[in-house]
Amino acid sequence: MALRKKKAQISVYLDPATIGLLAGYAARRGQPQSLIAEAAIASFLSPDGAEQREAAIAKRLDQLDRRMARLERDVGISVETLAVFVRFWLATTPALPEPAAQAARAKAGERYEAFVAALGRRLAKGPRLAQEISEEGSDSRP
């Protein structure tokens, strides 16, 4: 039969908000508050605790870095796509005489409103065009 070490009792003064958090956490876990406090203090005083926190932060930063790189790539593709489209449109669309230009501007307003409505529907239901393009590109690879 192994002898059980007797634990030392200490008195600690905690902020009421901290006491509430401790009580709530202990209740959710079904554990005594003293056990939760002991584990927290042991973790805080652990020599490798700082290394574990640093590793977790480094992992999160790496994930954020990869996400930012994808965002930069996607924005670059979007800007280039828009630039190519505008250049093509300007090169292939002749200027209209003034009476026809007024009618075209009125029609353009209607078409723009329809475009915005269609864009809203597309964004609400997804998937995004960039996702479709990347999926189609990966399907055609050997």
Side-chain angles (χ1 to χ4, degrees):
M1 181 169 136
L3 293 176
R4 188 172 158 184
K5 290 184 184 179
K6 184 174 181 183
K7 294 184 177 185
Q9 181 178 354
I10 63 169
S11 295
V12 179
Y13 298 97
L14 298 175
D15 190 66
T18 306
I19 288 287
L21 292 171
L22 176 61
Y25 187 84
R28 284 190 306 278
R29 300 284 187 210
Q31 300 288 330
Q33 291 181 18
S34 61
L35 182 67
I36 305 295
E38 181 181 3
I41 292 168
S43 175
F44 183 80
L45 298 175
S46 170
D48 63 341
E51 292 172 8
Q52 290 173 347
R53 284 189 296 276
E54 184 179 334
I57 290 171
K59 181 180 177 182
R60 289 183 189 136
L61 286 174
D62 287 343
Q63 290 171 344
L64 288 172
D65 188 46
R66 286 191 299 274
R67 288 180 187 162
M68 285 295 296
R70 281 192 304 263
L71 281 172
E72 288 175 356
R73 183 204 67 199
D74 292 349
V75 167
I77 290 170
S78 298
V79 168
E80 285 299 315
T81 301
L82 181 61
V84 168
F85 172 78
V86 168
R87 178 176 283 166
F88 176 78
W89 184 82
L90 290 172
T92 59
T93 306
L96 297 173
E98 190 52 39
Q102 290 175 353
R105 279 193 288 276
K107 188 65 174 173
E110 294 173 21
R111 293 176 69 194
Y112 180 74
E113 291 300 323
F115 166 75
V116 170
L119 179 62
R121 287 190 304 273
R122 173 87 181 184
L123 291 175
K125 75 172 188 174
R128 303 291 192 265
L129 180 62
Q131 290 171 329
E132 289 178 7
I133 292 171
S134 64
E135 289 168 4
E136 289 173 7
S138 64
D139 291 344
S140 64
R141 291 184 188 140

